[in-house]
Amino acid sequence: MVPSTQDAVRSLVEQGETEHLVFVASHQTNGRGRQGRVWHQEPGQDISFSVLLEPRNRYPDLLLPMLTAAAVYECVAKHLMHTRHEARIKWPNDVLVDERKLAGILIEAEGKKLWIAGIGMNVNRLEFPKELRAKSTSLTLLTEVYEDRAAVLAELLRSLVKLVTEAEDGHTEPVVAGFGKGLGLIGERVVVTTSTDTHTGVLASVSPGGVVVGESRFSPGEVRALVRAGGGD
Ligand code: BTN
């Protein structure tokens, strides 16, 4: 048990640890979400880990949110393959099933070159705090069986290692393809929201080089929301 696996990795970096370190916690007492939010977990029920990555010149930093989301999506989609439930990636990198959040990802810079990617997945929890109840789910609520956390974690790490290895070899296509599949919006009419603007058009592609909607290209870093036109979020 640690307050946050993000902070655990940060202090190991201070002790000299380098890329590819994975820190897994059975429980976090102070898990952090994006935008300063709290990440709630149930002791011994969920998956939480952080991985230390150094893109260097091998792949763009902007690939990381896509890479981690694609890995989580692949793992979840495989796990739910024989069920009636469908996973999708919600921009930038939440993984939802039946429009409820199953997993979240927090990516934080560590110094100038390193990134700490933290992944949290609801695995065996049956209850959520009132404010999260209507918008959260867990694997066990979906499959109706008690899940083997270690097996799900192993599957998730396998997907992650595969995509990180490809990226480090200079191949970004598997990530771009996996992320696009999870997002499920390529070729659809979408609304892109940036801090200054909203723009509607057909989504042509999403990659670290840009979110291309019609004739316009947005840097992934400036896109706050990307949703199907007329379809809520
Ligand atoms: C979000 O959806 O807001 C991101 C949630 C990220 C949670 C994970 S759990 C492992 C790692 N440690 C943390 O404190 N947060 C991330």
Side-chain angles (χ1 to χ4, degrees), residues 137-159:
T137 192
S138 69
L139 275 186
T140 193
L141 286 173
L142 296 163
T143 59
E144 297 175 19
V145 293
Y146 190 79
E147 297 286 344
D148 179 344
R149 266 198 315 169
V152 178
L153 175 65
E155 185 64 49
L156 178 46
L157 288 172
R158 255 194 300 277
S159 297

Side-chain angles (χ1 to χ4, degrees), residues 4-6 28 30-34 37 39 41 48-50 94 101 104-106 118-120:
S4 160
T5 55
Q6 295 291 98
Q28 299 181 114
N30 196 19
R32 295 200 306 274
R34 289 189 300 115
R37 288 189 291 255
W39 180 253
Q41 291 189 305
S48 44
F49 69 94
S50 297
D94 286 345
K101 185 154 162 169
I105 299 169
L106 174 68
I119 297 178

